[in-house]
Amino acid sequence: MSEFFIVKENERLSHLVEGLKKCGSDQEKIEWLDRDPRVSDWLKKNSWLRLFSQSLSLGHALILKSLVAIGQEDHLFPSSEGTYDFSEKLFALLEELFSVEVFYKEIGGIVGYHWILFSFLFQEKHLAQDRGYYHRPSGIDISSENPNVRESIYEGIISLPLLSEIYPVGGAADRLKWIDPETQEPLPASKLIFCGYSLLEGLIRDLQAREYLYFKLFGRQVRVPVAMMTSSEKENHRHVVSLCEEKKWFGRSKDFFRFFCQPVVPTMNKLGKWCLRGSMKLVMKPGGHGVLWKAAKQEGIFDWLESLGIKKTLIRQINNPIAGTDYGLLAFCGIGFRMDKAFGFASCPRQVQSAEGINILIEKKFPTHSTFCLTNIEYCDFSKCSIEDVPRESGTLFSQFPSNTNILFADIASIKEAVKHWPIPGMLVNLKMLSYTDEEGHLQTEEVARLESTMQNIADYFVASSESFSSNHDMSLQTYLTYNHRHKTISTIKKLCPQGSLLETPEGCFYDLLQNAHDLLTNYCHVFLPDLPDVESYIQKGPSFLFLYHPALGPLYSIISQKIRGGKWGLRSELKLEIAEVNICHLNLSGSLHIIADQIIGQIDDHGTLHYSEKVGRCCLIHVTIENLGINPQGDHVYWKGDIHRDELCEIIIHGNGEFYAENVHLSGSMKIEVNDGMRLIALEECGTLKFKQEPLDSPTNVWTYHLCDDKSIQLLSNP
């Protein structure tokens, strides 16, 4: 493709798009397209396709002529065919593209989509963009708990009845290559098993932990509504909905979930032709999560949330399971509520050369004033924006600008207004190697482009003006940013097989989870643990200990540290707590201990709805020693998945609102202890012999009462 052709084609398409954007109806758009030289020449040809187009509806005719205008007709439609089968395929193609035309109407529909992709790919790929002066955002530091952070945590808790959550789960996840082992069917990232649970279930567990915290403090149940943006890619929508059905909507009413579909878009090869996977069958891919805002508005998601009294929303991505660690999400949302912000970014240090965007404060200078915008720049656009990916300080691992984590906060009313003016934010080209079967049945592997957009760049709408720049200028914006520890904020799962680095792999994410557990147990709970291995030792020998827990145990470290106090764990010891109400003091652990409650945070009624209550399983271990062979040191383990082989295990299973109590006892070897609903099982030693005593429960004992102190800290009071 010659440079002369590229320039002329870009000019023609630009002129065409500007006219289409001004048209008010399909008829006006068709009339404008008919004036284009390429379309007018096609109309003069005596082809079957031209005659066939005269019988189409306005909408279908608009799409067909749009394809002619962008030079795809000879590529997409065999010139000699006029059969019934051909007509059926043509109608199917036009129908598939109808949603693209409608969704991208603000940028010129199909023609606008193609022109922007063409322009980015062939015209502007290597051109620097002068976006202004770049500043590191001052932000709000929430990395350590202080009075201001505790106030924000409190605000995040009390504002839960006004909050919703949105999960963009419709991405292609091509790098993950997650396949059903039985059917060999590609699976979405939401179904990937991490630590024994799907990534989607992990997000819901985090949410329910915060709801349970609200219940423990105020005695009232709150259910945060959840919306998910799915897609047709790899049967994503079907898989996500079936997972929710399989899990019986996670004990929540189906009415508290809404789904809306992310549009898929055509792909283009490096010759400027749309990719085909068969006769008149396009290779379509999701158009990036930037379509989230318009799609949510278009599908009535925001209206639904506002009808429930919801004011704000938290956006989390499916591939970052550690974002719910400790108080990070509560403090982040609390600041957004307290300062009534329109939009927010949860940020942290960014590793140099990582595939992560940056958060940045952009200043643009004018003769009388300057404008400021807190926004995101994707890593693939660094060269275009003249950004060097270098350390902030020489010799360190972290870059000069913080990481965009895609943990976002948004005011619904503000976003609805922003979408009117900024419907497709952060447009960029996604250029990746892709394998597909072409129209002749041959497997093709080539670099394929599609136009994507980024949800975080809706922040570009929120611009403020000032006469001069100050170091904390971003504090007066409608937007905000928080800083937290990286290991508590982001560790993504984007690819299964590590290639040199654990970054963006489940192994790397699990290692970060272990780091968090080591920090929690040693620095907060004061448990004596084996040293945490370095990355190389972790890969070769596995973890030195395991601690997995239901997030309702806290989720705040300050709460967990009051439930687990002191003790000593041996090498490769393991504690798994699928329970929220425990009192563990000076546990001496050598081997594996699992404590599992089937009622962790409440009870499920006959309709399958979970009700938070004090009727939960409880366990109290005071000066208890657990000793067994535990994890097989020679076993073939996949720790991150929960596929672990044990020689011996002590397992305590608590049904209903049963309770288990043990003090000054030694539990050795493989044991399976079950506690019945409504019963209290006491383990005791008499003359060196372990015995169990069972008694009915008149009312729960060992109840933790959550007390909110004047300084907004939470103190647990025991009610033995």
Side-chain angles (χ1 to χ4, degrees):
M1 196 180 298
S2 70
E3 186 174 340
F4 177 79
F5 173 81
I6 290 173
V7 172
K8 288 299 181 182
E9 184 70 354
N10 191 65
E11 290 175 354
R12 184 186 69 85
L13 290 172
S14 174
H15 174 71
L16 197 57
V17 169
E18 286 306 309
L20 287 169
K21 286 158 64 172
K22 295 175 183 177
C23 295
S25 67
D26 286 352
Q27 183 62 50
E28 290 179 15
K29 292 176 183 178
I30 289 174
E31 291 173 359
W32 178 252
L33 286 173
D34 286 346
R35 299 176 195 172
D36 177 71
R38 187 187 290 274
V39 178
S40 62
D41 288 346
W42 178 77
L43 288 171
K44 295 173 185 176
K45 294 179 180 178
N46 188 22
S47 68
W48 180 90
L49 186 61
R50 181 183 65 79
L51 295 173
F52 181 77
S53 69
Q54 296 173 3
S55 65
L56 296 174
S57 66
L58 280 178
H60 286 146
L62 171 61
I63 295 169
L64 180 57
K65 290 187 176 181
S66 295
L67 294 174
V68 173
I70 62 177
Q72 302 295 321
E73 77 282 7
D74 292 338
H75 174 57
L76 296 179
F77 312 122
S79 58
S80 60
E81 293 196 48
T83 63
Y84 176 80
D85 182 57
F86 175 84
S87 302
E88 288 289 300
K89 290 179 180 178
L90 174 56
F91 271 118
L93 174 62
L94 297 178
E95 196 65 33
E96 184 175 34
L97 288 173
F98 188 79
S99 61
V100 178
E101 174 65 32
V102 172
F103 193 85
Y104 290 92
K105 63 181 180 180
E106 290 90 350
I107 64 170
I110 288 171
V111 179
Y113 170 87
H114 177 87
W115 169 63
I116 294 174
L117 181 56
F118 178 89
S119 178
F120 280 7
L121 194 58
F122 297 108
Q123 282 280 98
E124 303 175 5
K125 185 177 179 182
H126 302 293
L127 297 180
Q129 295 180 356
D130 181 14
R131 296 188 63 175
Y133 295 88
Y134 301 144
H135 305 282
R136 179 182 173 87
S138 57
I140 303 169
D141 189 353
I142 62 169
S143 61
S144 60
E145 198 169 330
N146 56 46
N148 287 333
V149 171
R150 282 196 293 271
E151 184 69 38
S152 298
I153 296 169
Y154 170 73
E155 199 73 35
I157 297 171
I158 64 171
S159 299
L160 274 176
L162 304 176
L163 185 72
S164 61
E165 296 202 356
I166 298 179
Y167 307 147
V169 296
D174 288 327
R175 285 188 289 166
L176 192 60
K177 297 178 181 177
W178 178 233
I179 305 293
D180 187 310
E182 295 182 2
T183 66
Q184 296 301 302
E185 179 185 12
L187 296 174
S190 54
K191 296 192 79 170
L192 181 73
I193 302 300
F194 184 74
C195 296
Y197 300 92
S198 71
L199 290 178
L200 177 57
E201 187 169 3
L203 265 60
I204 300 296
R205 282 159 61 96
D206 282 349
L207 173 58
Q208 291 180 326
R210 281 174 273 133
E211 293 174 338
Y212 184 67
L213 175 57
Y214 183 93
F215 166 78
K216 291 290 288 186
L217 281 170
F218 306 114
R220 301 189 302 276
Q221 175 142 343
V222 59
R223 288 192 180 95
V224 174
V226 174
M228 298 186 215
M229 183 174 73
T230 62
S231 78
S232 59
E233 172 74 5
K234 299 174 183 175
E235 296 289 330
N236 174 281
H237 179 81
R238 177 178 64 82
H239 280 297
V240 171
V241 173
S242 67
L243 177 59
C244 292
E245 291 172 341
E246 176 188 325
K247 293 297 180 180
K248 300 180 179 177
W249 302 97
F250 309 100
R252 308 168 78 80
S253 169
K254 182 180 177 180
D255 295 337
F256 280 85
F257 290 91
R258 286 289 188 278
F259 300 91
F260 59 108
C261 225
Q262 175 181 4
V264 289
V265 295
T267 57
M268 179 191 290
N269 64 24
K270 299 193 78 173
L271 297 176
K273 296 298 183 181
W274 286 11
C275 300
L276 291 170
R277 58 181 174 85
S279 178
M280 284 187 281
K281 293 183 179 180
L282 294 167
V283 177
M284 305 281 279
K285 286 288 180 180
H289 47 53
V291 301
L292 180 143
W293 312 111
K294 183 184 177 184
K297 183 180 179 182
Q298 188 172 280
E299 296 299 318
I301 300 300
F302 293 142
D303 292 340
W304 167 62
L305 292 174
E306 288 180 324
S307 73
L308 298 175
I310 302 302
K311 304 295 183 184
K312 314 279 188 181
T313 189
L314 171 70
I315 296 88
R316 282 191 65 180
Q317 285 204 285
I318 195 71
N319 62 3
N320 180 14
I322 70 164
T325 302
D326 201 1
Y327 59 73
L329 292 180
L330 286 169
F332 172 58
C333 292
I335 291 168
F337 274 105
R338 182 159 52 90
M339 302 177 72
D340 195 23
K341 292 291 189 177
F343 198 76
F345 297 90
S347 192
C348 65
R350 174 186 173 276
Q351 292 187 33
V352 174
Q353 302 300 322
S354 64
E356 295 173 7
I358 57 173
N359 292 134
I360 197 165
L361 182 67
I362 298 179
E363 176 188 11
K364 291 186 178 180
K365 294 186 177 182
F366 298 92
T368 59
H369 68 286
S370 293
T371 62
F372 297 89
C373 179
L374 177 62
T375 187
N376 161 80
I377 295 178
E378 284 298 306
Y379 67 92
C380 53
D381 283 341
F382 285 179
S383 60
K384 282 200 264 183
C385 299
S386 301
I387 292 175
E388 292 185 82
D389 194 1
V390 296
R392 186 182 184 191
E393 298 176 1
S394 178
T396 64
L397 294 174
F398 298 111
S399 64
Q400 54 184 326
F401 296 109
S403 174
N404 171 69
T405 65
N406 281 337
I407 304 169
L408 307 171
F409 176 88
D411 175 78
I412 293 173
S414 299
I415 290 295
K416 288 174 70 175
E417 184 62 29
V419 170
K420 295 178 184 177
H421 309 277
W422 216 258
I424 315 291
M427 288 185 286
L428 54 86
V429 169
N430 182 316
L431 188 62
K432 290 180 180 176
M433 296 301 296
L434 182 68
S435 296
Y436 63 94
T437 303
D438 66 15
E439 65 271 29
E440 296 179 356
H442 300 139
L443 182 65
Q444 297 286 349
T445 300
E446 62 178 333
E447 226 174 2
V448 168
R450 69 180 183 269
L451 184 66
E452 284 200 351
S453 57
T454 54
M455 61 184 177
Q456 58 270 28
N457 283 97
I458 194 72
D460 294 350
Y461 172 75
F462 302 105
V463 177
S465 297
S466 178
E467 294 182 0
S468 61
F469 174 77
S470 63
S471 60
N472 65 344
H473 185 88
D474 52 318
M475 299 298 288
S476 62
L477 295 170
Q478 289 179 272
T479 52
Y480 73 104
L481 177 143
T482 59
Y483 287 108
N484 200 355
H485 297 291
R486 182 177 176 86
H487 59 84
K488 285 186 173 184
T489 308
I490 183 171
S491 186
T492 56
I493 300 175
K494 295 182 179 180
K495 52 190 177 184
L496 283 183
C497 300
Q499 297 177 348
S501 169
L502 293 185
L503 195 65
E504 299 182 336
T505 67
E507 288 90 346
C509 187
F510 192 76
Y511 184 73
D512 289 336
L513 183 147
L514 290 175
Q515 285 183 300
N516 287 332
H518 195 275
D519 174 37
L520 166 61
L521 291 171
T522 57
N523 296 322
Y524 293 80
C525 301
H526 306 295
V527 174
F528 185 80
L529 287 177
D531 291 336
L532 187 71
D534 58 27
V535 173
E536 187 174 341
S537 297
Y538 163 70
I539 294 172
Q540 293 178 353
K541 301 179 182 179
S544 57
F545 75 98
L546 286 180
F547 178 48
L548 301 176
Y549 60 92
H550 192 289
L553 186 68
L556 310 185
Y557 282 9
S558 60
I559 291 178
I560 298 174
S561 65
Q562 296 177 70
K563 295 179 177 180
I564 301 174
R565 306 174 306 282
K568 182 178 181 180
W569 297 14
L571 184 63
R572 287 191 295 274
S573 289
E574 171 196 17
L575 177 60
K576 179 179 179 180
L577 297 177
E578 281 297 302
I579 187 171
E581 299 295 322
V582 298
N583 183 2
I584 300 176
C585 182
H586 294 291
L587 173 68
N588 186 9
L589 177 60
S590 177
S592 293
L593 171 63
H594 292 185
I595 305 175
I596 313 295
D598 54 29
Q599 287 184 192
I600 300 175
I601 50 181
Q603 54 198 137
I604 296 177
D605 64 21
D606 294 338
H607 302 288
T609 302
L610 173 65
H611 298 275
Y612 300 140
S613 74
E614 296 293 353
K615 294 182 178 180
V616 297
R618 303 176 193 276
C619 182
C620 182
L621 305 178
I622 309 296
H623 293 284
V624 170
T625 296
I626 305 292
E627 187 175 13
N628 57 61
L629 295 178
I631 297 172
N632 182 339
Q634 308 302 322
D636 186 15
H637 311 293
V638 185
Y639 290 102
W640 63 265
K641 192 182 291 186
D643 186 3
I644 302 170
H645 304 282
R646 302 171 183 87
D647 290 329
E648 292 182 331
L649 167 67
C650 178
E651 189 174 25
I652 301 172
I653 300 174
I654 303 170
H655 299 290
N657 69 330
E659 297 182 8
F660 180 76
Y661 182 89
E663 184 172 1
N664 295 318
V665 298
H666 189 135
L667 304 178
S668 60
S670 284
M671 301 185 73
K672 185 174 182 180
I673 302 169
E674 292 199 58
V675 183
N676 295 324
D677 182 19
M679 304 299 291
R680 188 172 193 243
L681 185 66
I682 303 171
L684 64 160
E685 288 188 12
E686 292 182 355
C687 302
T689 302
L690 179 66
K691 294 184 177 181
F692 294 96
K693 175 184 175 183
Q694 182 174 270
E695 58 188 29
L697 274 173
D698 295 327
S699 60
T701 59
N702 291 295
V703 176
W704 289 117
T705 300
Y706 289 30
H707 174 69
L708 188 67
C709 302
D710 292 339
D711 65 354
K712 298 299 189 293
S713 63
I714 298 173
Q715 182 181 358
L716 270 57
L717 304 176
S718 179
N719 180 25

